[in-house]
Amino acid sequence: MSKILIQNAVKKYGNNTVIPDLNIEIKDGELFTLLGPSGCGKTTLLRMIAGFNSIEGGDIYFNDTRINDIDPSRRNIGMVFQNYAIFPHMTVRDNVAFGLKNRKMEKEKIQELTDKYLQLMQISQYATRMPNQLSGGQQQRIALARALVISPDVLLMDEPLSNLDAKLRLEMRSVIRHTQKNVGITTVYVTHDQEEAMAISDTIAVMKDGVIQHVGAPKDIYQRPKNVFVATFIGRTNILPAKIEQGTLIFSSGYRVKLDYLDQLENQEVQCSVRPEEFVISKQGDEGIHGIVKEYTYLGLNTHYAVETESGLTVEIVEESSLEDELKPGQNVLLQMKKHKINVFDKEGSRNLVRSEAYERQ
């Protein structure tokens, strides 16, 4: 297995720089996800690690070995693609055994390892079938078994679930997470699906325009995003303008929230991120943000509301469904917040003011 270290990596296509200066350290045995919108550079970076893309600056290491100039076939990587890339003219067994045969292993060892990974991926019963006789989820299990059977130092996965339906994606998420932990292989996983990244990752790197915006555990990224882009990209949130005056957060409606850490900050205009589940709806009182329910959607466990505030801003709110009647469109409500959950960003949205230097060192 390998630790991956990327230092000052640069990727250019002609005069167009898509990755300007990127640094990442991926721990041995970690499931590390590159997450971001289309065109942010995540697949480009994955292909640089694989050796399929050149690197115009910086260095990539597997443990202490610099791999910039090592041919992809000699990097000992396993690769799982979006489109499976399995061989349609070979049986399931022959697909899984393909890499071992290329390495000129003894027949007995090939048989032993192939059986092991067919069993691990729960596809032993399909060993003699052709890929076109199997479902998309089963084909992706073949691709994963083929990538793992060669005992690679690093497993690279490029949007492996995007061609599957919703139910299969959930199933394969669990399979990938369980298998990765079982085998203990360092894995770099690319996706644009935030929920998928949150569900399977040890660590997530959120990318935008070839730049890493935030690296951290899923919980840290969700609860304390480093900037407004990360806050709005990971899950859903409401961005509300406010200002800090003498340590108090004041919203445009006049609603005031006192937070201890604001005492250290100068008076300034800010942006606040409040997740839908971090609002509290009250039907009475005068301390809060007044609003009118515009619509609601009942989703079983939770009910989602769209509420227009008195300043004209529409916010999304999620509350646990109850046996009582839901709030109806046109109903007046008072919105309060779970104060310790609020994230406060500078006016430009580039920095989370909640993340103190002490917090960053944890």
Side-chain angles (χ1 to χ4, degrees):
M1 307 307 169
S2 288
K3 177 180 75 173
I4 302 173
L5 182 62
I6 303 174
Q7 295 180 323
N8 309 117
V10 176
K11 178 61 192 170
K12 295 182 179 180
Y13 292 106
N15 294 324
N16 182 29
T17 301
V18 294
I19 296 178
D21 181 19
L22 188 141
N23 294 275
I24 289 177
E25 182 174 339
I26 300 170
K27 298 172 185 173
D28 188 9
E30 184 173 40
L31 201 165
F32 189 99
T33 297
L34 298 171
L35 172 68
S38 297
C40 73
K42 56 189 186 295
T43 293
T44 297
L45 179 60
L46 191 81
R47 291 177 63 84
M48 290 164 71
I49 297 170
F52 302 151
N53 282 350
S54 61
I55 177 170
E56 278 67 56
D59 299 293
I60 301 177
Y61 292 89
F62 286 0
N63 290 330
D64 297 324
T65 303
R66 182 178 180 272
I67 64 164
N68 291 40
D69 303 316
I70 296 178
D71 187 84
S73 63
R74 302 181 66 83
R75 295 189 183 192
N76 196 28
I77 58 170
M79 191 91 189
V80 180
F81 298 94
Q82 177 178 345
N83 61 355
Y84 319 138
I86 53 181
F87 303 115
H89 61 288
M90 293 183 182
T91 65
V92 170
R93 174 178 292 282
D94 287 341
N95 263 283
V96 175
F98 179 79
L100 300 176
K101 291 177 180 177
N102 267 5
R103 296 184 176 198
K104 305 289 193 291
M105 277 193 179
E106 296 178 0
K107 286 186 178 180
E108 293 78 9
K109 190 65 175 176
I110 291 175
Q111 174 87 17
E112 177 190 337
L113 288 171
T114 302
D115 286 344
K116 174 184 175 181
Y117 281 93
L118 285 170
Q119 187 173 355
L120 180 66
M121 299 311 301
Q122 299 179 353
I123 49 176
S124 297
Q125 65 270 40
Y126 310 121
T128 60
R129 293 194 190 180
M130 304 304 285
N132 63 4
Q133 298 175 296
L134 304 179
S135 69
Q138 290 162 344
Q139 290 185 46
Q140 196 59 294
R141 286 172 184 258
I142 298 169
L144 189 53
R146 187 182 62 186
L148 290 171
V149 74
I150 60 172
S151 298
D153 292 323
V154 171
L155 177 64
L156 305 178
M157 309 187 77
D158 188 10
E159 302 270 11
L161 306 184
S162 59
N163 285 341
L164 304 179
D165 63 40
K167 184 178 179 182
L168 273 177
R169 279 202 304 273
L170 288 175
E171 177 187 319
M172 285 305 298
R173 252 192 232 167
S174 177
V175 168
I176 288 170
R177 180 67 179 169
H178 173 76
T179 304
Q180 191 271 338
K181 288 302 162 196
N182 191 344
V183 177
I185 188 171
T186 306
T187 301
V188 184
Y189 189 102
V190 163
T191 184
H192 64 274
D193 186 319
Q194 305 96 317
E195 186 177 304
E196 188 177 302
M198 296 280 285
I200 69 169
S201 308
D202 296 313
T203 304
I204 299 172
V206 182
M207 292 184 69
K208 177 189 177 189
D209 300 331
V211 177
I212 300 292
Q213 304 292 314
H214 190 164
V215 177
K219 183 177 180 180
D220 174 54
I221 288 180
Y222 185 83
Q223 293 186 344
R224 289 291 181 243
K226 284 193 173 181
N227 56 42
V228 166
F229 172 79
V230 177
T232 53
F233 190 78
I234 297 286
R236 295 193 298 271
T237 196
N238 302 286
I239 302 297
L240 292 79
K243 57 185 177 180
I244 297 173
E245 285 188 1
Q246 298 177 340
T248 299
L249 200 57
I250 305 175
F251 292 89
S252 56
S253 64
Y255 179 44
R256 304 168 74 91
V257 176
K258 176 66 176 173
L259 298 171
D260 292 340
Y261 70 86
L262 296 179
D263 289 334
Q264 318 299 322
L265 302 174
E266 60 185 25
N267 293 352
Q268 59 185 294
E269 294 182 22
V270 294
Q271 299 184 56
C272 296
S273 167
V274 184
R275 301 282 184 190
E277 67 274 16
E278 291 163 5
F279 274 110
V280 177
I281 298 178
S282 174
K283 298 177 185 177
Q284 57 186 2
D286 54 12
E287 185 179 325
I289 299 173
H290 293 272
I292 299 174
V293 177
K294 288 299 181 183
E295 58 183 61
Y296 75 98
T297 305
Y298 175 77
L299 294 175
L301 180 63
N302 297 312
T303 301
H304 293 226
Y305 296 97
V307 174
E308 184 178 322
T309 67
E310 54 194 323
S311 62
L313 185 69
T314 299
V315 297
E316 181 182 2
I317 299 167
V318 175
E319 280 211 331
E320 185 178 347
S321 301
S322 68
L323 295 176
E324 301 173 6
D325 291 339
E326 294 89 1
L327 299 170
K328 296 297 189 290
Q331 190 166 344
N332 290 309
V333 293
L334 189 68
L335 305 181
Q336 297 165 342
M337 303 172 191
K338 298 175 183 177
K339 298 179 181 181
H340 65 288
K341 296 288 188 73
I342 300 172
N343 283 287
V344 182
F345 301 94
D346 59 17
K347 185 179 180 181
E348 292 73 30
S350 60
R351 186 167 61 95
N352 190 336
L353 303 178
V354 180
R355 298 182 69 98
S356 66
E357 289 185 13
Y359 183 99
E360 298 283 2
R361 288 195 297 269
Q362 290 178 5

